[in-house]
Amino acid sequence: MAHVTALYRYPVKGLSAEPLPALGLSRTAGLAHDREYALALGTTAFDPQAPEPLDKGYFLMLRGNAPLAALATRFEPETGRLTIVQGGQDVLCEDLSTGPGREAVERFFEAYIGPAAKGRPRLVRADGHKFTDGSVISPAFMRAVSFVNLASVRALEERVGTPLDPLRFRANIYVDGLTPWAELDWVGQEIGIGTVRFRGLARTPRCAAVDVDPVTAARDTTLPRDLKRHFGHVDLGIYLEVLADGTVAAGDAVRMSSPVSGAA
């Protein structure tokens, strides 16, 4: 049976994944603390009092800033503290709820990224706002969670002839036990995972961000091009809309509301 193998959230857009044993999900808010913060480029205007969804190109992100992948981060929602680890050593630990803490993070990334940050980046957050890639499409996409079928990752690995870390695809929910690409047919379908009901919103098109190795930060593949060449599309994974509040945990089964080709 298809089941959840790993769960993650990404507290700061573009920075490292945070593994979790379970995800508490809400119909009105999606996944708490996922893409809650972002590092806006020095040239980006963002008003936390009147937030407007912006394309990911307005922020530091892996597509344009591969060195971000060389950093590991930890975020503690209870204390607001963000820790940045580089080369196995803690290099910064700051409280994001304070002005001095945010400024210290901004100055770190200004020095770390250099001219590509277009000045001092600004650490931004707004109540009820998420910096997901789909935020520019609709509120439902802003609150959506991302799902990756590990069999699809393996199918791509076979074609490109090199191992691929699934974390390249920055999903919230990773599942095994399906046939390759089965998830691409789930758009418009209802799915149950754990105690949560979802609806497939859309396939996830892939950009050059997935070409960055999440451990080495090397840009060492051409996966969007390879997807198109070998499979006729650039999609891997789907976005899921949360239909009812609940919890998804590692090991939970994936249940379809109606039979879907490829479910095992």
Side-chain angles (χ1 to χ4, degrees):
M1 178 175 290
H3 63 283
V4 175
T5 63
L7 300 162
Y8 296 91
R9 69 182 171 198
Y10 305 80
V12 183
K13 183 178 184 66
L15 299 188
S16 65
E18 179 181 46
L20 295 173
L23 303 181
L25 295 158
S26 161
R27 182 182 63 82
T28 57
L31 173 58
H33 309 297
D34 188 54
R35 280 82 172 187
E36 179 178 358
Y37 290 89
L39 286 153
L41 297 175
T43 53
T44 296
F46 180 83
D47 183 357
Q49 303 306 313
E52 293 289 339
L54 295 173
D55 180 82
K56 59 187 173 184
Y58 286 92
F59 305 96
L60 294 184
M61 45 84 186
L62 289 173
R63 185 184 69 192
N65 311 109
L68 294 175
L71 303 174
T73 57
R74 301 190 303 271
F75 179 65
E76 302 170 7
E78 300 78 12
T79 64
R81 299 193 76 81
L82 177 72
T83 301
I84 301 175
V85 182
Q86 185 177 13
Q89 300 294 320
D90 291 2
V91 294
L92 196 73
C93 184
E94 295 291 344
D95 184 349
L96 303 190
S97 68
T98 70
R102 292 190 296 274
E103 181 178 345
V105 172
E106 292 167 355
R107 293 200 180 281
F108 173 87
F109 282 99
E110 181 181 19
Y112 182 72
I113 295 296
K118 300 182 180 180
R120 187 174 116 190
R122 190 157 61 103
L123 185 68
V124 292
R125 178 191 177 278
D127 290 342
H129 188 86
K130 290 180 179 295
F131 297 96
T132 54
D133 289 351
S135 66
V136 295
I137 301 173
S138 72
F141 273 90
M142 179 183 289
R143 298 188 296 268
V145 295
S146 53
F147 174 107
V148 158
N149 172 7
L150 291 173
S152 300
V153 177
R154 290 193 292 268
L156 180 57
E157 280 182 330
E158 291 175 5
R159 293 299 182 94
V160 300
T162 188
L164 298 174
D165 187 332
L167 282 178
R168 285 178 184 264
F169 303 100
R170 298 181 65 80
N172 299 117
I173 302 172
Y174 288 88
V175 166
D176 215 345
L178 298 167
T179 57
W181 315 112
E183 75 282 6
L184 300 185
D185 295 328
W186 293 2
V187 176
Q189 301 261 7
E190 288 197 18
I191 305 111
I193 310 176
T195 63
V196 186
R197 288 191 302 111
F198 299 93
R199 178 185 295 115
L201 271 181
R203 298 179 176 196
T204 307
R206 296 301 174 172
C207 70
V210 300
D211 290 328
V212 179
D213 186 292
V215 176
T216 67
R219 196 178 294 278
D220 57 2
T221 62
T222 56
L223 296 181
R225 187 192 311 168
D226 294 331
L227 281 164
K228 185 67 175 178
R229 178 158 56 96
H230 293 299
F231 301 103
H233 57 74
V234 296
D235 306 321
L236 195 151
I238 58 170
Y239 292 110
L240 297 176
E241 178 184 8
V242 180
L243 298 180
D245 298 2
T247 302
V248 172
D252 281 346
V254 179
R255 308 175 308 279
M256 307 306 302
S257 60
S258 58
V260 173
S261 175

